[in-house]
Amino acid sequence: MKTLCIRCILWVFSMLLIQRAAQAQEAPAPHTSTPGASPVITFDNGKQKKPKVKKEWKFAVDIDAGFSNPGADLKEAFKGGLAASIGFKTAFLKNKLWVRPVGGLKYYWKNANLGETKREAFRSYKAGLELQYNAYTKNKYSFFPIIRVDENFSSNNVTPKSDDKSATAPFNTNGKVLTGNSYSIDAGIMVVRSGDLYVKLDYEYYKPELTVSPELIQEMLTAGLYMPTKKVYNCSSINLSVGVNLNFKK
């Protein structure tokens, strides 16, 4: 009986040693990386940290154009005009905030019969920065409050369209009759459909001080009228535009 117990104990120990050896063969060698595994950096305190992954920036180009409804001073001369802009933008805050350096054009025009047919136009070239924030998304539509600041270079031009004169024109000055530059601020809402097409409604506050052409001032003085050399004009407007968003990286 004693011999049988000793044999059983030896057999159990033998099986345990065999199992231990098998596990040692199956266990991977320490500090050995396996193909396809993510690299791991080990520090002295025993903590492990994966290396930082380089961020991929998201870029896009916005191009839009639409109708501009002038207010106050410009409304007396023009019923409406064109508003257009183009800008290259990039995303921050997990694609919530978009920063868009932008260039644009605001253009009003009409034909006037001042003894001869002339075209009068008011033009503003723009360069500035626009911020777009993705505040809410519902199904395929995203809503972006926007704010924009521009430096504007404006001019009021009169151009003859014909040499035929039906009457004596009260003023003969052509070319740039008003010029000036100033900042404007713009705020509104942009609704984007499926990340590509969008509609934008905004209000632009713009009151530049414009310089009057010396030739026009002299003509008016000759006619017995006084006009200051500089005057602040209310060139603010409400704009409705449609555009397309061209994404480079998503």
Side-chain angles (χ1 to χ4, degrees):
M1 184 69 180
K2 184 177 180 180
T3 304
L4 180 60
C5 291
I6 294 173
R7 287 180 179 178
C8 289
I9 293 172
L10 292 174
W11 182 82
V12 171
F13 274 106
S14 300
M15 293 302 297
L16 290 173
L17 290 173
I18 293 172
Q19 185 179 3
R20 184 78 179 194
Q23 290 177 351
Q25 291 294 328
E26 293 176 359
H31 305 294
T32 302
S33 60
T34 56
S38 299
V40 176
I41 299 175
T42 304
F43 299 95
D44 295 337
N45 57 9
K47 294 183 179 180
Q48 293 181 342
K49 183 179 179 181
K50 292 185 178 181
K52 292 183 179 179
V53 179
K54 186 177 180 181
K55 181 179 179 180
E56 290 189 6
W57 293 99
K58 186 174 180 181
F59 303 102
V61 171
D62 280 355
I63 304 173
D64 55 66
F67 178 76
S68 178
N69 182 36
D73 295 332
L74 286 181
K75 193 71 173 180
E76 297 178 3
F78 306 99
K79 294 181 179 179
L82 170 71
S85 71
I86 181 171
F88 178 89
K89 66 182 185 180
T90 186
F92 297 90
L93 303 179
K94 297 181 179 180
N95 297 336
K96 281 284 189 179
L97 176 66
W98 290 85
V99 179
R100 181 195 185 207
V102 60
L105 171 69
K106 187 73 65 67
Y107 186 67
Y108 304 96
W109 71 96
K110 70 173 184 179
N111 291 332
N113 189 0
L114 301 173
E116 60 178 317
T117 303
K118 294 185 177 184
R119 169 169 289 182
E120 182 181 4
F122 186 88
R123 182 187 298 110
S124 293
Y125 293 104
K126 299 173 169 290
L129 186 70
E130 181 176 280
L131 302 180
Q132 307 170 356
Y133 185 77
N134 189 347
Y136 179 70
T137 298
K138 177 70 173 179
N139 297 329
K140 295 182 178 180
Y141 297 92
S142 297
F143 298 84
F144 289 77
I146 60 173
I147 186 168
R148 173 174 162 181
V149 177
D150 285 289
E151 171 73 6
N152 298 264
F153 304 90
S154 301
S155 63
N156 183 205
N157 301 68
V158 176
T159 307
K161 294 189 65 178
S162 172
D163 292 333
D164 297 330
K165 297 183 179 181
S166 57
T168 302
F171 303 107
N172 298 316
T173 300
N174 296 316
K176 295 181 178 181
V177 295
L178 296 173
T179 56
N181 63 284
S182 183
Y183 288 100
S184 65
I185 187 168
D186 196 297
I189 185 75
M190 180 173 71
V191 181
V192 183
R193 181 183 182 277
S194 301
D196 295 320
L197 302 176
Y198 63 86
V199 177
K200 182 188 295 183
L201 178 65
D202 59 88
Y203 173 77
E204 180 187 51
Y205 179 84
Y206 180 43
K207 291 186 176 181
E209 184 179 58
L210 302 180
T211 302
V212 184
S213 166
E215 290 81 4
L216 180 58
I217 291 177
Q218 185 59 45
E219 284 192 31
M220 296 188 72
L221 285 175
T222 302
L225 300 174
Y226 170 75
M227 187 173 188
T229 57
K230 292 185 178 182
K231 183 180 177 181
V232 175
Y233 290 85
N234 187 347
C235 302
S236 302
S237 61
I238 298 175
N239 311 292
L240 179 62
S241 305
V242 294
V244 60
N245 179 277
L246 305 177
N247 288 293
F248 290 150
K249 289 186 179 182
K250 293 186 177 181

